[in-house]
Amino acid sequence: GAGVSQSPSNKVTEKGKDVELRCDPISGHTALYWYRQSLGQGLEFLIYFQGNSAPDKSGLPSDRFSAERTGGSVSTLTIQRTQQEDSAVYLCASSFRARDTNSPLHFGNGTRLTVT
Amino acid sequence: ILNVEQSPQSLHVQEGDSTNFTCSFPSSNFYALHWYRWETAKSPEALFVMTLNGDEKKKGRISATLNTKEGYSYLYIKGSQPEDSATYLCAPTGAQKLVFGQGTRLTINP
């Protein structure tokens, strides 16, 4: 079946512009996660959704970052007034449900964001 | 916030040798421990999800053990092959989210 789909795969933007990253999870997966990997760093948690609710937004780096999920499916991560330090690979993952401790995460291929 | 430590950060192993590395995490408020393999230019792939103290799981030449009382998990690779070269990530679950360690970067030398 279809896996987690992210778009675009690559995005180059000028400093100060807004960008939207999209994630389409596996059908039936109620939990959705956003992570990012900056150069030379590990996976940094940003936010997760259970259904359309985001119980934990603690990882969002600043108020320039926001995310939403509609219909319990597609999620968009928006970065306003991008800065060079926002350059990273943004990974989305989904799982059957967040409280199911046996559910592994299924990752998309990521969006590589470059802010010039 | 869960403090996850993985060691070593990087490891070079000769093809055919066996190896292991460690994931340490707080033993309180434990739900489950995930292991993932992340190959270059690919997305992370789940290896194991472990929940019970003393649990041991195996997938081909790769196996993992879990000690929830002392807060650690070991990942073992037997007879390393070049295709095992990857970053291995562990992630304990706290309340609901998964917090990843920095990973162990494994390189298999032919």
Side-chain angles (χ1 to χ4, degrees), chain A residues 14-90:
Chain A
E14 290 180 355
K15 177 181 173 181
K17 300 282 189 182
D18 298 351
V19 294
E20 273 193 3
L21 311 182
R22 176 188 167 106
C23 173
D24 203 339
I26 291 172
S27 178
H29 279 193
T30 63
L32 186 147
Y33 302 76
W34 283 99
Y35 292 88
R36 76 174 177 181
Q37 186 194 33
S38 303
L39 189 63
Q41 302 297 311
L43 274 179
E44 176 189 3
F45 169 80
L46 297 178
I47 188 171
Y48 91 94
F49 290 89
Q50 177 58 47
N52 292 332
S53 300
D56 193 334
K57 303 179 183 179
S58 62
L60 293 177
S62 74
D63 59 7
R64 296 186 295 104
F65 287 71
S66 63
E68 65 174 15
R69 188 180 186 195
T70 55
S73 181
V74 172
S75 175
T76 53
L77 178 69
T78 302
I79 308 172
Q80 295 179 310
R81 305 180 302 282
T82 52
Q83 303 294 311
Q84 288 186 329
E85 61 262 29
D86 299 334
S87 296
V89 175
Y90 289 80

Side-chain angles (χ1 to χ4, degrees), chain B residues 21-110:
Chain B
F21 28 92
T22 308
C23 171
S24 301
F25 52 88
S27 55
S28 59
N29 205 28
F30 174 84
Y31 283 77
L33 190 284
H34 294 227
W35 279 102
Y36 292 81
R37 174 170 58 202
W38 194 359
E39 297 179 64
T40 303
K42 295 185 178 181
S43 52
E45 174 192 1
L47 288 173
F48 306 112
V49 179
M50 309 171 77
T51 56
L52 300 176
N53 184 46
D55 208 1
E56 182 171 345
K57 294 208 172 180
K58 189 175 180 181
K59 186 176 183 178
R61 294 177 292 98
I62 303 176
S63 60
T65 60
L66 179 65
N67 183 321
T68 61
K69 293 184 178 179
E70 295 182 41
Y72 64 84
S73 175
Y74 293 135
L75 190 80
Y76 300 90
I77 302 178
K78 185 177 178 181
S80 303
Q81 299 297 309
E83 59 265 29
D84 296 330
S85 294
T87 297
Y88 291 82
L89 300 168
C90 72
T93 64
Q96 294 183 10
K97 67 185 182 187
L98 273 75
V99 176
F100 285 88
Q102 292 293 306
T104 292
R105 181 181 294 275
L106 176 65
T107 303
I108 306 301
N109 300 318

